[in-house]
Amino acid sequence: MTGSENTPTGHGPAGRDRLARALRRARSRAGISGVRAGRAAGISQSKISKIERGLLLPSVDDVAALCRVYEVGEGERSDVLTLTEALHAEASTRVIMARSVSRTQQRIARLEADTSLVRAFQPLIVLGVLQTQEYAECLFRTPLYDLPEDEIEASVRSRQERGRTLPDASGEYRLIMTEGALRWQAGAASVMAEQLREIAKAAARGGNTSVGVIPWSTPVDVFPRNAFTIYDQDAVMVGTETATATITGASDIASYVRLFERLEALASFGDEAVGHLERIEADYRRL
């Protein structure tokens, strides 16, 4: 890293781009393929690809391991690690501002397109990739977000584009929601009835997409506090009310994989899931 890239501050997307370029150049100089680099550093090749494309922020340990494999000099290594630490400090404190919501949706779409297996769980609302336009508008128009009209339209459009590409996506999607999420009425009952019908279509369609529902009548022994999405074995994205955190530590990812596997065991899929969705839809239609 040279010149302006020696800055110790992350500065958001620009800082991520600098880090991605630095690691890409270092690997190129070393003449090492992504597969070989991954084996030597204990990181999957798909994760290295996501890091070099700026889709994932690597952990400090990941960057240190890659610098070792690429035999990066001490000065450059220090700069890269300092930048990585600064980016993580920013990510832990920065709130997603209104102007960046649609940009976040676009980044998620790129990350999904680069992932072979997407596993997502949502305890509170309908998963974004399954949302109808009317449902998404209810979410983004909430007074709590106070989004400008153009940002609302761009965010809804981004979610709809993700949903339209779902049946033809090259990767596999495993999507789980609780019945409580489906009972949280967004807008009119008619909006929810149509939303349930669309989810049922996706559940019945099968193919690359598995839609699971955890009914309220199912006893549970796990208690997830947040929605989360796992991208291959490379990263977990966790959503809160004000921010989205991307976790790349191997032990943390393993914990979320174990949690998802337990949630899968509790969920109903296929015809059974469709039955639950139709039951909930019928309740909305009676309102």
Side-chain angles (χ1 to χ4, degrees):
M1 299 174 68
T2 58
S4 62
E5 293 186 1
N6 285 323
T7 175
T9 56
H11 299 305
R16 289 192 183 209
D17 288 344
R18 289 200 305 275
L19 179 60
R21 288 196 303 271
L23 292 174
R24 197 163 56 240
R25 284 198 302 266
R27 183 171 65 81
S28 178
R29 285 199 311 266
I32 298 175
S33 69
V35 172
R36 180 181 167 193
R39 289 172 181 166
I43 302 171
S44 69
Q45 187 276 331
S46 64
K47 186 173 183 178
I48 290 178
S49 174
K50 293 180 181 73
I51 290 170
E52 291 186 355
R53 294 176 59 196
L55 297 175
L56 286 184
L57 176 60
S59 68
V60 174
D61 288 343
D62 286 341
V63 173
L66 291 172
C67 285
R68 173 181 54 78
V69 171
Y70 302 154
E71 298 183 351
V72 174
E74 184 59 32
E76 184 178 355
R77 177 180 180 278
S78 177
D79 288 342
V80 174
L81 290 174
T82 298
L83 175 58
T84 307
E85 291 169 351
L87 286 166
H88 276 283
E90 285 184 356
S92 66
T93 58
R94 189 175 67 248
V95 171
I96 296 177
M97 303 302 291
R99 65 179 178 272
S100 69
V101 174
S102 60
R103 188 183 308 158
T104 299
Q105 292 296 314
Q106 293 164 5
R107 185 168 71 86
I108 291 173
R110 292 194 298 271
L111 185 55
E112 287 177 345
D114 204 42
T115 299
S116 298
L117 175 59
V118 176
R119 288 168 283 186
F121 170 71
Q122 178 54 265
L124 302 172
I125 61 174
V126 173
L127 283 160
V129 75
L130 295 173
Q131 290 175 10
T132 64
Q133 179 175 335
E134 291 78 10
Y135 186 98
E137 287 179 350
C138 285
L139 294 187
F140 287 119
R141 290 188 186 280
T142 174
L144 291 176
Y145 293 163
D146 192 26
L147 300 178
E149 186 62 29
D150 61 342
E151 184 65 25
I152 291 173
E153 293 176 357
S155 299
V156 171
R157 185 165 57 250
S158 293
R159 284 205 170 168
Q160 295 306 291
E161 289 171 354
R162 287 171 58 205
R164 281 193 293 271
T165 61
L166 185 61
D168 300 320
S170 59
E172 178 185 357
Y173 287 74
R174 299 181 190 170
L175 311 174
I176 299 175
M177 291 165 288
T178 65
E179 181 166 340
L182 303 174
R183 297 263 184 200
W184 196 261
Q185 184 176 331
S190 59
V191 171
M192 292 303 300
E194 184 59 30
Q195 175 65 83
L196 266 295
R197 175 177 291 185
E198 291 303 313
I199 298 173
K201 288 180 182 178
R205 184 173 61 236
N208 68 333
T209 304
S210 300
V211 178
V213 177
I214 301 178
W216 70 269
S217 56
T218 299
V220 299
D221 56 4
V222 290
F223 306 92
R225 293 169 176 79
N226 297 99
F228 63 89
T229 303
I230 308 170
Y231 299 94
D232 291 327
Q233 297 277 355
D234 302 334
V236 179
M237 189 173 291
V238 179
T240 69
E241 183 62 30
T242 58
T244 300
T246 302
I247 300 169
T248 57
S251 61
D252 290 329
I253 293 172
S255 294
Y256 275 99
V257 169
R258 289 193 297 271
L259 173 57
F260 191 86
E261 289 172 348
R262 183 58 192 145
L263 294 167
E264 272 191 309
L266 295 170
S268 299
F269 291 89
D271 292 342
E272 190 175 356
V274 171
H276 287 302
L277 292 163
E278 290 176 343
R279 170 176 58 82
I280 301 168
E281 178 192 349
D283 287 344
Y284 277 117
R285 295 208 181 273
R286 282 193 289 267
L287 291 180

